Every structure is written in structure tokens, then in C-alpha cells.
Amino acid sequence: MAIPSVGGGYQFNDGNSNEVKLSVAAAPVTATSSATLTVAQLTNGIILGSPGSSAAAYTLPLAADLDAALGNAHPGSTFDFTVINVDGSSSGVITMTTNTGWTIGSAGSQGLMTIAATAGTVRSFRARKTGEGAWSLYAIS
């Protein structure tokens, strides 16, 4: 018996491997001036940053809070998120900053943690669990 292919879109394990792969995602979240991001904002996947005419620091949530929300995460688990600077101000640079339990880079092996002040500038990050209450952040684009 053939597996029916109705409606278009590939859903993992349903047998329609020649169709587009679909997933479900929440609407992007926003952050404005300097703020401590919530776990919900970080795990949403897309943060629309609007720092205005001055530089903004987006502080990561506590690593322990991330552990509490992601109970099935184990060392080596990762997730990615993207920050888009939606402002066009020449001063509106966004910088990702650390919080308790995080290791982030300033350059080199973990990448720069800044998103340029040009509207539409995008930077993607990967968060990686390194231990209990311990995460590392990497700039991946």
C-alpha cells in the first residue's frame, strides 16, 4: 500500500522524502535597549534586536535557568539562535554579554559577539551545554 502524499511538505518519518521539509516555529521575539534575555527569547530561535540610536548589551540568561528549562539537555547538547539588528542607526551595535555559568568569546575560537549597527545585519550563535549549569556561546556566522 502506498503512503499518501497530500498537502505538500515533508514531515519527518512520514515517507514523503521528496517534499519540502516543514517544521514549526514561534514568531520571532523582540529585544530593545540593553536587557537580560529570557530563556524563552533565547530558545525561540530568532531575536529581532532594536537597540535604537545607542549601543545595547544583550545579557544571556543564567545558565542554571537554561538548564531548568531544558531538562533533557546533556553535555554536548546544542541549539542555535539568530539575532537580527533591525535598526539602521550607526550607533546601534548589539553585543551579546555573559552571565553566570556562560563562557563566551571576544574573538578567536568562539567568535565576536557583536551584531553591527546596520539594519538587517544578522549574526547566528550556537549555545552548547558543557556541564551542569555551564554553557558556551559561539558565533557561527
Side-chain angles (χ1 to χ4, degrees), residues 2-3 17 23 30 34 42 56-57 67 73 79 87 109-110 122 131 135-136:
I3 297 174
S17 61
S23 62
T30 59
S34 294
L42 204 64
D67 278 355
F79 67 91
D87 283 342
S109 64
Q110 286 178 269
V122 177
W135 289 78
S136 289

Side-chain angles (χ1 to χ4, degrees), residues 7-115:
Y10 174 74
Q11 296 176 8
F12 186 69
N13 285 336
D14 82 346
N16 299 329
S17 61
N18 61 336
E19 296 184 15
V20 67
K21 294 181 177 154
L22 297 176
S23 62
V24 176
V29 296
T30 59
T32 54
S33 59
S34 294
T36 298
L37 299 174
T38 65
V39 170
Q41 285 174 304
L42 204 64
T43 58
N44 171 278
I46 300 174
I47 299 169
L48 302 176
S50 183
S53 61
S54 59
Y58 289 177
T59 303
L60 296 164
L62 295 171
D65 291 347
L66 196 56
D67 278 355
L70 304 177
N72 290 330
H74 52 81
S77 295
T78 66
F79 67 91
D80 297 345
F81 66 95
T82 300
V83 179
I84 303 169
N85 191 338
V86 298
D87 283 342
S89 168
S90 63
S91 301
V93 174
I94 300 170
T95 303
M96 302 301 293
T97 60
T98 191
N99 205 338
T100 303
W102 283 92
T103 301
I104 67 171
S106 57
S109 64
Q110 286 178 269
L112 293 172
M113 297 292 136
T114 57
I115 299 94

